[in-house]
Amino acid sequence: MTEQQSHRFERGTDGPKVIVAGVDGSVSSLRAAAYAAGLARRQGALLALVYVQPVLAAGAALGAPVADTTEEVAEDLVAQVRDAMKRTDGVFDIRWEFHTFRGDPYNGLVKAADGLRADAVVVGASEQAGHRFVGSVAVRLVKAGRWPVTVVP
């Protein structure tokens, strides 16, 4: 086999097949979802939008309806995504799914990316000042070194 035969480019088979985008309703996460949708459209990849429902033990201990609140956020995000996808009907063809997980955002995104066999992960930049010291979800995903991670401002 020659060098040229062993490294043949196969049209349509290179590039990501599954792109995971973390969404939480923040402006940066919605920009990340839009960016990931563009990548998915151009690559013909599946866009997997992931919302990780936080588990707030302190709120639950005080009797706050935490599960109901996070479910409402998830439902609102799904409605926003469906509306955005309807606006692109006939213009862009994007395959997408919406997934929710419970837990902290980092572990939820890792679980989603592993479970969906993600080729790439896209997240929004953290808007919280404390993450400069503790480390944001994006930084932790990059340090994990398991997928290419794109951080959208």
Side-chain angles (χ1 to χ4, degrees), residues 11-142:
R11 183 176 206 107
T13 60
D14 290 2
K17 300 287 184 241
V18 177
I19 299 171
V20 167
V23 293
D24 62 8
S26 68
V27 172
S28 67
S29 80
L30 296 177
R31 280 194 297 259
Y35 182 86
L39 288 175
R41 178 185 58 81
R42 288 186 297 279
Q43 296 290 330
L46 171 67
L47 172 62
L49 299 165
V50 176
Y51 169 61
V52 181
Q53 298 179 18
V55 176
L56 305 173
L62 297 173
V66 174
D68 292 343
T69 303
T70 59
E71 278 298 321
E72 289 172 17
V73 171
E75 289 170 13
D76 183 52
L77 286 169
V78 170
Q80 287 181 45
V81 170
R82 282 197 179 112
D83 288 345
M85 293 303 180
K86 282 181 188 174
R87 289 192 299 272
T88 66
D89 262 358
V91 179
F92 300 120
D93 185 27
I94 301 172
R95 293 179 304 123
W96 65 279
E97 301 174 348
F98 189 87
H99 300 269
T100 60
F101 292 87
R102 284 199 172 290
D104 70 278
Y106 170 76
N107 286 316
L109 286 171
V110 166
K111 182 177 178 181
D114 283 346
L116 295 166
R117 295 184 175 181
D119 296 300
V121 177
V122 180
V123 293
S126 176
E127 297 172 352
Q128 296 180 2
H131 286 166
R132 291 186 194 124
F133 305 107
V134 178
S136 67
V137 171
V139 169
R140 292 174 66 194
L141 288 168
V142 169

